Amino acid sequence: LCLAAGDTPRLAYRLLSDIVQKEMIDCSGLTFIGLDEWIGIPSDNPGSCSHFLHTHLFGPLGIKHSQVRLFDVTQPDLVRECTSMNEYVRSKGIDMMVVGVGMNGHIGFNEPGVREDLEAHVADLDDTTRAVGQKYFSTHTTLSKGITLGLRQMLQSRRVILMASGQKKAPIIRSALQGDISTDVPASLIRKHPNGRTILDEDAASLLTII
Ligand code: F6R
């Protein structure tokens, strides 16, 4: 499973943890891959994607460290870290990728205009991502780059679920689902995936035209 952090999947992860605990489901055969991470933010910072996934999912599910591969942003050579992640993804394959959508249409840190054939890479964050990202941190934090799996890996995953909730996501959801399929809105690429599904609440779906 390749998973995003962020506000969107929070409830889904809690419900999953509840079911796993209640029904005593064995998760020892699962492997988790982190979709992305802020560069320069250590994993013990509560705003990091790593901290989020450990707190909201891996901890409650009792997942062992050996079952998890997250981007290590403390590595001095991040290009090498991308290569290592690509090799890991290739060796495992991704059965399911769960992604959110940024206010600018990004998926992971695949920012508008990104190349569709990229695998893991370091990305310059755009102004929207830098500004919106402040919500995860208790004090103002300089966010300039991220490290992320690429759209190629999303398209090669066996299944992709894109989730969005809230009125604020309605305009970008309309662009992603009913505008052109283009890396100007990276989330629109989910429409190229044969097993891509979008799960929206009514607010996020409110600007869609019912055809
Ligand atoms: C986080 C990630 C991001 C978020 C997106 C939406 O790991 O991959 O692309 O999914 O920025 O964030 P929220 O869910 O907080 O609205």
Side-chain angles (χ1 to χ4, degrees):
L1 298 170
C2 175
L3 303 178
D7 290 335
T8 307
R10 197 184 287 263
L11 176 61
Y13 295 166
R14 200 182 77 218
L15 295 173
L16 176 65
S17 304
D18 289 350
I19 291 169
V20 165
Q21 284 169 3
K22 200 166 135 211
E23 300 186 11
M24 295 195 295
I25 294 168
D26 178 10
C27 292
S28 62
L30 296 176
T31 303
F32 294 88
I33 296 173
L35 177 63
D36 53 2
E37 188 56 278
W38 306 100
I39 290 179
I41 306 297
S43 59
D44 59 355
N45 183 318
S48 71
C49 299
S50 165
H51 193 278
F52 177 94
L53 290 173
H54 278 288
T55 307
H56 295 281
L57 203 60
F58 305 150
L61 292 186
I63 301 302
K64 297 199 197 87
H65 279 289
S66 57
Q67 292 173 258
V68 175
R69 175 66 167 94
L70 305 179
F71 281 111
D72 179 1
V73 293
T74 64
Q75 290 296 320
D77 184 347
L78 290 175
V79 173
R80 208 162 141 184
E81 175 63 3
C82 288
T83 306
S84 155
M85 181 58 106
N86 288 337
E87 281 165 7
Y88 189 83
V89 169
R90 230 167 274 139
S91 72
K92 293 278 180 192
I94 296 175
D95 286 321
M96 185 160 84
M97 189 181 265
V98 176
V99 302
V101 53
M103 297 294 288
N104 61 358
H106 73 199
I107 282 192
F109 287 134
N110 289 276
E111 298 285 50
V114 66
R115 273 183 25 221
E116 183 182 328
D117 59 350
L118 283 188
E119 296 190 321
H121 60 281
V122 170
D124 288 325
L125 302 177
D126 85 0
D127 291 345
T128 306
T129 303
R130 293 173 197 222
V132 175
Q134 296 302 320
K135 68 177 176 170
Y136 306 118
F137 299 91
S138 53
T139 55
H140 185 272
T141 303
T142 302
L143 303 170
S144 59
K145 286 177 187 290
I147 188 167
T148 184
L149 291 191
L151 292 177
R152 181 174 183 165
Q153 285 151 323
M154 178 186 86
L155 291 169
Q156 287 176 345
S157 300
R158 289 185 193 93
R159 274 187 289 170
V160 183
I161 295 180
L162 182 149
M163 294 193 286
S165 57
Q167 193 69 47
K168 63 180 186 302
K169 294 283 174 75
I172 197 65
I173 285 297
R174 183 179 52 186
S175 303
L177 300 186
Q178 294 186 325
D180 294 341
I181 299 179
S182 152
T183 54
D184 290 345
V185 181
S188 67
L189 274 276
I190 191 166
R191 287 152 62 199
K192 289 177 98 170
H193 197 293
N195 283 315
R197 296 283 179 274
T198 305
I199 300 177
L200 309 170
D201 70 359
E202 286 187 14
D203 284 343
S206 61
L207 294 179
L208 293 178
T209 307
I210 309 296
I211 301 166

